[in-house]
Amino acid sequence: PRLDLLVLPGDGIGPEVVREGVLLLRELEPSLPAELHIREGAIGGAAVDEVGDPLPADTLSAALSAGAVFLGAVGGPRWENLPAERRPEQGLLRLRKEMRVFANLRPLRLPPELSFLSPLRLEILGEGGLDVLIVRELVGGIYFGEPRGIFVEGGERVAVDTLRYREEEIARVVDVAFRIARTQGKPLASVDKANVLASSRLWREVVEAKRAEYPDVPVRHVLVDAFAMDLVRRPTAYGVVVTENLFGDILSDLGGALVGSLGLLPSASLSEGGPHLYEPVHGSAPDIAGQGIANPAGMLLTVAMFLRHTLAAEDAASAVEAAVFATIARGRVTPDLAEACRRAHASGRCPAPEVLSTAEFGAA
Amino acid sequence: PRLDLLVLPGDGIGPEVVREGVLLLRELEPSLPAELHIREGAIGGAAVDEVGDPLPADTLSAALSAGAVFLGAVGGPRWENLPAERRPEQGLLRLRKEMRVFANLRPLRLPPELSFLSPLRLEILGEGGLDVLIVRELVGGIYFGEPRGIFVEGGERVAVDTLRYREEEIARVVDVAFRIARTQGKPLASVDKANVLASSRLWREVVEAKRAEYPDVPVRHVLVDAFAMDLVRRPTAYGVVVTENLFGDILSDLGGALVGSLGLLPSASLSEGGPHLYEPVHGSAPDIAGQGIANPAGMLLTVAMFLRHTLAAEDAASAVEAAVFATIARGRVTPDLAEACRRAHASGRCPAPEVLSTAEFGAA
Ligand SMILES: [Mg+2]
Ligand SMILES: [Mg+2]
């Protein structure tokens, strides 16, 4: 079968890392269960420069009819002073919304041979390394609820935000998390604040109801503050973690910091039935753009997520991940990881680093 | 002058650690700027057993007229199945509310010689160790806002929580944080989510307005997700941190985990003009209660906070803190820290641990 991919390089280091992602896809194609038709589109600051809109109409329609969408990164100082609706970030927010990608997957992975990259002590990551998947609800909750705003009451300003979830909004993201936990044979932790918040009580009830459909998946509920502690004390106790938008925002970034480098973080945002959106976490990094020194690992691991979640090509996905981690473990790294490798080399935990360019890492 | 202290031992290990706190106060009294009159009151499960109420009326009135209140801990399995209003935790929540303690101070301190207790790598804590103070707004925000609840709309359940802050609620806690930052000569970081939340935009405006009163205090704003990352990547970049209730709940627990042991965490909750409430963070730990093995360090460090914030006896406060940390650094620890010390001893970072009882540690 044929699969249409829309590739949106965007700004900053976006085009450089996307290039490596596409090269990898081309290399893998003969062994994949689909024929890839790759088309490129404009988004972000690049699209503002071209047509004055960070999400041009033809980019949006191509995205909605694609089999999957890859994004590099958007934004940069050149476009920071534009009016809100023409900022590059608005293009990405609108794209996510129009694609209805409600389940944001943020894998936190660091195999044991790369544990030295983490700010956590080696003993804490243990023999298995870090391997947690955070599933964050992405389109509901307090970032969107009404009423919201700053009002004047009795002569004093009062600010209000509303955390609101419909049962169905919770059920669909919880279902995605259960499905992944089952496929990967891992336990599921649902993170909430059910001892205080009404929305968390409903969240917990929905998770409990969903349990019946997945009797083979072990489930537990963890309070968000206790989970934040666990993530630094015993992250290896977790497999798949599902949580609402604001908690997921904080916890996925905290977890990302535990991996030790933004350059190693992939993400996927899943819709129901429509195309999924794949993007590395790192952002546009305008300070190093165009120098060929960006770390493409986040993008290559994002390609692996596409192989897993769009193509169900688990073997190919695992092979890509193993290759990326093995390359780094041999000390073949882009400049962002060189310092950590040098430190690890000094204590005998890593070969002497050999600093590669973006293209060399992609090829390695 | 005379200062009335109300001491509320509570449940579990509460009485054991409070005993050591009172012994320390008695020992220090001759050198303090006030004569201490210590009275004991009932709270929590112990009060339920005595008079059927987790916050008896005479405890509450004694608290409101005291110069300061010390609390051990409340709760335990014996009282878990009581109706909500008679649960031990309700007594504490009501006490905090009646005392109007809106500024919860959570110091995260680990001197460099104790860095081995942290789950973070030694290099990250560096030569200064960990020394961050989180000031959490404690009586407003999403844990209290209305409307809240689970409703039915169009045949579907919908849950709502409301994050609401009046300008004045923000200003008073921000003012406490500025005052402490000035006194301690430290920079202030205000943590919010102003790129998305209306309440955070008002929060940021109030901080900006308050700046004029404290031109000598360096201030910056940090987004909550970025701050969670910074707390594990470069915690030493921070001094005093102020944030709203929910963010503070998550971040103070995360920060507590970075100290490595709940047993080492003190807290103070400050009111405006009224008595402050002092309590260690650890809770009632019913599994080890009554065995004389509880770690009293959290309580002793809480006494130091009382010396600092109620008596302005900074020298005495620092001396207590130094003594507690020095005792641990000599390997003289209660059982909860013995394992970590043994591990550190193996790599030469700590003397062989000598395991002490609660009373022995208090005396040491
Ligand atoms: Mg975030
Ligand atoms: Mg908490």
Side-chain angles (χ1 to χ4, degrees):
Chain A
R2 166 195 174 108
L3 191 76
D4 287 299
L5 297 188
L6 179 67
V7 165
L8 305 170
D11 308 320
I13 61 172
E16 305 164 45
V17 300
V18 160
R19 193 175 309 128
E20 299 308 317
V22 170
L23 285 172
L24 174 61
L25 284 167
R26 287 291 175 219
E27 191 184 313
L28 294 170
E29 196 178 2
S31 62
L32 295 181
E35 195 182 299
L36 306 180
H37 290 252
I38 303 183
R39 209 185 122 174
E40 212 170 273
I43 197 169
V48 171
D49 290 349
E50 264 177 56
V51 299
D53 182 349
L55 182 64
D58 57 343
T59 295
L60 176 58
S61 67
L64 294 177
S65 63
V69 178
F70 281 89
L71 182 112
V74 299
R78 280 181 55 199
W79 305 283
E80 249 162 31
N81 296 316
L82 290 177
E85 72 282 4
R86 281 200 292 152
R87 294 230 192 96
E89 294 76 11
Q90 281 305 314
L92 177 53
L93 291 177
R94 265 174 54 212
L95 179 67
R96 286 182 187 148
K97 199 175 158 189
E98 298 282 352
M99 291 180 68
R100 299 169 194 257
V101 286
F102 59 85
N104 180 231
L105 273 47
R106 286 278 297 264
L108 313 174
R109 283 196 62 189
L110 210 48
E113 63 274 20
L114 295 184
S115 288
F116 64 83
L117 290 174
S118 174
L120 294 179
R121 307 163 66 81
L122 293 175
E123 312 91 88
I124 288 174
L125 297 180
E127 301 194 350
L130 186 62
D131 190 5
V132 176
L133 174 70
I134 295 188
V135 180
R136 165 189 173 191
E137 201 290 324
L138 195 61
V139 297
I142 199 167
Y143 293 170
F144 299 93
E146 298 284 347
R148 57 199 284 100
I150 300 176
F151 310 98
V152 175
E153 278 177 24
E156 189 183 22
R157 286 189 298 171
V158 177
V160 173
D161 292 285
T162 301
L163 202 185
R164 205 185 139 84
Y165 270 111
R166 290 184 297 108
E167 198 167 356
E168 174 50 30
E169 289 176 299
I170 302 171
R172 64 183 182 182
V173 67
V174 164
D175 194 68
V176 166
F178 264 107
R179 216 158 39 198
I180 295 175
R182 168 180 283 171
T183 306
Q184 304 191 355
K186 289 190 181 148
L188 177 66
S190 171
V191 171
D192 64 34
K193 187 72 187 176
N195 56 343
V196 192
L197 298 180
S199 53
S200 286
R201 284 205 309 278
L202 181 60
W203 183 280
R204 203 172 269 215
E205 283 178 33
V206 171
V207 171
E208 282 301 309
K210 188 64 79 177
R211 249 185 142 123
E213 295 171 41
Y214 297 90
D216 51 320
V217 176
V219 182
R220 66 191 167 119
H221 302 279
V222 189
L223 295 175
V224 60
D225 42 352
F227 180 76
M229 300 184 81
D230 273 359
L231 209 43
V232 297
R233 290 188 307 189
R234 40 190 210 111
T236 57
Y238 291 88
V240 178
V241 176
V242 64
T243 192
E244 62 95 48
N245 200 345
L246 170 62
F247 295 162
D249 190 2
I250 299 171
L251 296 172
S252 64
D253 283 339
L254 169 62
L258 301 181
V259 170
S261 169
L262 277 178
L264 292 180
L265 300 174
S267 87
S269 298
L270 309 189
S271 67
E272 189 117 43
H276 304 329
L277 175 62
Y278 296 93
E279 44 178 325
V281 169
H282 51 59
S284 62
D287 51 319
I288 60 162
Q291 300 176 37
I293 58 171
N295 187 347
M299 188 74 219
L300 303 179
L301 295 170
T302 297
V303 167
M305 294 191 81
F306 156 77
L307 299 171
R308 177 173 293 127
H309 296 287
T310 290
L311 292 184
E314 178 58 37
D315 289 351
S318 303
V320 167
E321 288 163 350
V324 168
F325 291 133
T327 302
I328 299 171
R330 285 201 306 274
R332 298 172 58 83
V333 295
T334 43
D336 53 311
L337 298 183
E339 179 51 37
C341 279
R342 244 171 248 128
R343 227 191 324 105
H345 178 61
S347 54
R349 290 196 302 269
C350 179
E354 177 186 349
V355 178
L356 305 187
S357 70
T358 307
E360 287 166 340
F361 186 93
Chain B
R2 164 196 175 107
L3 191 77
D4 288 300
L5 296 188
L6 179 66
V7 164
L8 306 171
D11 309 320
I13 62 172
E16 304 164 44
V17 300
V18 161
R19 193 177 308 128
E20 300 308 317
V22 170
L23 285 171
L24 173 61
L25 284 167
R26 287 291 175 221
E27 192 185 313
L28 295 170
E29 194 176 3
S31 63
L32 294 181
E35 196 181 297
L36 305 179
H37 290 253
I38 302 182
R39 208 186 123 176
E40 212 169 275
I43 197 169
V48 171
D49 289 349
E50 263 178 56
V51 299
D53 182 349
L55 181 65
D58 58 344
T59 295
L60 177 57
S61 67
L64 294 176
S65 63
V69 178
F70 282 87
L71 181 112
V74 300
R78 280 181 54 201
W79 304 283
E80 249 162 31
N81 296 317
L82 290 177
E85 72 282 3
R86 280 200 291 152
R87 294 231 192 95
E89 294 76 12
Q90 281 305 314
L92 176 54
L93 291 178
R94 265 173 55 212
L95 179 67
R96 287 181 186 150
K97 197 175 160 189
E98 298 280 353
M99 291 180 69
R100 298 169 196 255
V101 285
F102 59 85
N104 180 233
L105 273 47
R106 286 278 297 266
L108 313 174
R109 282 197 61 188
L110 210 47
E113 63 274 20
L114 295 182
S115 288
F116 65 82
L117 290 172
S118 174
L120 295 179
R121 307 162 67 83
L122 294 174
E123 312 92 85
I124 289 174
L125 297 180
E127 301 194 350
L130 186 63
D131 190 5
V132 176
L133 174 69
I134 295 188
V135 180
R136 166 188 171 190
E137 201 288 326
L138 196 60
V139 297
I142 200 166
Y143 294 170
F144 299 93
E146 298 284 344
R148 56 199 283 100
I150 300 175
F151 310 99
V152 175
E153 275 177 27
E156 190 184 22
R157 288 189 297 171
V158 177
V160 173
D161 292 285
T162 301
L163 201 185
R164 207 185 136 84
Y165 270 110
R166 289 183 299 107
E167 197 167 354
E168 174 50 31
E169 289 176 299
I170 301 171
R172 64 184 182 182
V173 67
V174 165
D175 193 68
V176 166
F178 264 106
R179 216 158 41 200
I180 295 175
R182 168 179 284 172
T183 306
Q184 303 191 356
K186 290 193 180 144
L188 178 65
S190 172
V191 170
D192 63 34
K193 187 71 186 175
N195 55 344
V196 192
L197 298 180
S199 54
S200 286
R201 284 205 310 275
L202 181 60
W203 183 281
R204 202 172 271 214
E205 283 179 33
V206 171
V207 172
E208 282 300 308
K210 189 63 82 178
R211 249 183 141 124
E213 294 173 42
Y214 298 89
D216 51 319
V217 176
V219 183
R220 65 191 168 120
H221 303 279
V222 189
L223 296 176
V224 60
D225 42 352
F227 180 75
M229 300 183 82
D230 274 357
L231 210 42
V232 297
R233 289 188 306 189
R234 40 189 210 114
T236 58
Y238 292 88
V240 178
V241 176
V242 64
T243 192
E244 62 95 50
N245 201 344
L246 170 62
F247 295 162
D249 190 3
I250 299 171
L251 296 173
S252 64
D253 283 339
L254 169 61
L258 300 182
V259 170
S261 170
L262 276 178
L264 291 179
L265 299 175
S267 88
S269 298
L270 308 188
S271 68
E272 190 115 43
H276 303 328
L277 174 63
Y278 295 93
E279 44 178 324
V281 169
H282 51 58
S284 62
D287 51 319
I288 60 162
Q291 300 175 37
I293 59 170
N295 188 348
M299 189 74 218
L300 303 178
L301 295 170
T302 297
V303 167
M305 294 192 81
F306 156 77
L307 299 171
R308 177 172 293 126
H309 296 286
T310 290
L311 292 184
E314 178 58 37
D315 289 351
S318 302
V320 168
E321 288 163 348
V324 168
F325 291 131
T327 302
I328 298 169
R330 285 201 306 274
R332 298 172 58 82
V333 295
T334 43
D336 53 312
L337 298 184
E339 179 52 35
C341 280
R342 245 171 248 126
R343 227 192 323 109
H345 178 60
S347 53
R349 291 194 302 267
C350 179
E354 179 185 349
V355 178
L356 304 187
S357 71
T358 307
E360 287 166 338
F361 186 94

